[in-house]
Amino acid sequence: SSEAFHLAAAGRLNVTVRIMGAGGDSDWRNTVHAAAALRLGGGPAFDVAHVWDEAALVAAAAGGLPVVFSPSGLPGGTGLPWATIRCRNVQVVTCTAAARDACVRRGVPSRRCHMVLPPVDFDRIPRRRDASLRSAMGFSESDFVVLAPGESTPVANHRAAVHAVSILHVLDRSYRILLWGRGHDAPATTWLARRLRQPPLVTLADRALGRSVDFEDLLAAADLALVTGSAAAPTLPLAVCMASGLPIVAAESTAGCELLHDGKNAALVPPRPRLLAKRVLDLREDQVQTARLGRTAREDARRRFDPVRFVGEYQKLYECAAGIGSPSHQKLTTCL
């Protein structure tokens, strides 16, 4: 997100990035130090702070700044951060209506809850299949590679995707599932494949290549995307898959259902492995529908995930948080 701001925020936004915690800026090594740095100055005078985790939220609020908060998941618990949101000048922004509504239920005033769809850097989206990348990860030309988007976390529920593809793998060994290899649940997916006595089923990209790889690069190695995450799963990996034109099969319970429409830009089915497997099989055999779904998804992504639109909406949120509405105010200095 910070890259998008730097690229598209010319004119009225000055953006400064500060990293809190181990390996971060020396005077921002914990919540107390970060709050003191903001309150006592010694650096840029910020109009607003944009934060992504609860520790940074507490630091920015204690530092006396108006805050824009992008939570990484749905709100939970009853601790200090959410009390801080209710009582302070904090604008909450989510990527889905489901997450926004959950924040309102948590007690955040609806006027301070917003939804902004994520940006996609379309220049990073591969335009064609990469046979050499597929080969480097151990896939043959005849393999049908199913990509489970994003990091392997509990909310992404990649184990459900592995289960669905394992059903197909029993029928036809050409069905394989590709994971990025990042996230705490990644090792569990390979363990599940071994338990199912299908060791070749799961490929972790980073491990197979022996190097770090961007998620966007994996799109050129996949034939279809299978989305099985919960409503709390990040939206950006799905947006990237849409932008690539990959055909998408998604469980109906995912947050992505706000972006996906059955039979138009994706195939939506109840979140049961056998039904997901059947829909993947159907799409593989129907190339006309597969091409149509991918084409419509790409067109929707171009319309919805424009980086310039993203920055413009956030700029309005910054101005709202900082109490700036006058066109004569030429610069808004933001701390990310």
Side-chain angles (χ1 to χ4, degrees):
S1 294
S2 61
E3 290 181 9
F5 286 112
H6 282 296
L7 289 172
R12 295 189 56 181
L13 273 173
N14 286 332
V15 177
T16 300
V17 177
R18 292 285 184 264
I19 301 174
M20 196 174 82
D25 296 273
S26 59
D27 53 347
W28 289 60
R29 56 184 176 273
N30 57 39
T31 303
V32 174
H33 285 85
L38 288 171
R39 185 169 289 278
L40 300 177
F46 300 112
D47 295 299
V48 64
H50 186 175
V51 300
W52 277 267
D53 63 51
E54 295 182 349
L57 165 65
V58 173
L65 285 180
V67 181
V68 172
F69 177 42
S70 296
S72 57
L74 295 179
T78 56
L80 175 62
W82 289 95
T84 300
I85 292 172
R86 290 192 293 269
C87 299
R88 301 294 184 89
N89 180 12
V90 179
Q91 304 288 328
V92 179
V93 57
T94 68
C95 292
T96 67
R100 180 189 59 198
D101 294 345
C103 293
V104 173
R105 289 194 298 271
R106 178 59 62 188
V108 182
S110 59
R111 68 181 182 281
R112 291 199 276 113
C113 287
H114 315 271
M115 185 186 76
V116 177
L117 292 173
V120 170
D121 184 350
F122 292 92
D123 291 337
R124 297 177 62 182
I125 304 297
R127 298 180 182 274
R128 58 183 62 87
R129 181 165 161 151
D130 189 335
S132 62
L133 179 62
R134 285 172 60 97
S135 177
M137 289 191 288
F139 300 122
S140 71
E141 188 62 28
S142 61
D143 281 335
F144 190 81
V145 180
V146 177
L147 174 66
E151 296 186 356
S152 297
T153 62
V155 295
N157 195 18
H158 284 170
R159 281 186 255 193
V162 171
H163 191 179
V165 179
S166 74
I167 296 171
L168 296 168
H169 190 76
V170 170
L171 303 172
D172 183 343
R173 293 301 177 106
S174 70
Y175 284 96
R176 308 276 296 277
I177 184 164
L178 174 62
L179 306 177
W180 194 5
R182 302 185 189 181
H184 293 302
D185 276 8
T189 61
T190 57
W191 172 85
L192 178 57
R194 290 194 299 271
R195 184 183 177 189
L196 295 168
R197 299 181 181 179
Q198 299 171 327
L201 173 66
V202 175
T203 296
L204 304 183
D206 283 353
R207 183 183 300 178
L209 294 171
R211 59 179 174 84
S212 178
V213 61
D214 291 335
F215 175 69
E216 289 87 349
D217 294 336
L218 304 184
L219 303 169
D223 297 294
L224 179 143
L226 179 57
V227 182
T228 52
S230 70
T235 305
L236 182 57
L238 172 59
V240 170
C241 289
M242 292 175 64
S244 74
L246 274 181
I248 297 170
V249 173
E252 290 175 344
S253 61
T254 64
C257 289
E258 296 178 18
L259 303 173
L260 302 176
H261 304 281
D262 189 34
K264 295 183 179 179
N265 60 5
L268 303 183
V269 296
R272 294 196 289 276
R274 288 188 179 277
L275 296 179
L276 290 167
K278 183 179 185 305
R279 202 68 185 95
V280 171
L281 178 63
D282 291 342
L283 281 187
R284 184 180 186 180
E285 295 178 347
D286 188 344
Q287 294 300 311
V288 174
Q289 185 183 21
T290 295
R292 180 172 55 80
L293 291 179
R295 183 172 59 252
T296 305
R298 186 187 299 112
E299 292 169 355
D300 286 349
R302 284 281 181 186
R303 177 171 53 86
R304 293 178 172 182
F305 307 125
D306 175 36
V308 175
R309 181 271 314 159
F310 171 82
V311 171
E313 292 186 24
Y314 263 111
Q315 180 172 314
K316 291 178 182 177
L317 283 174
Y318 294 156
E319 292 173 349
C320 175
I324 297 170
S326 171
S328 63
H329 192 95
Q330 292 302 309
K331 291 288 184 180
L332 180 65
T333 304
T334 306
C335 175
L336 299 180

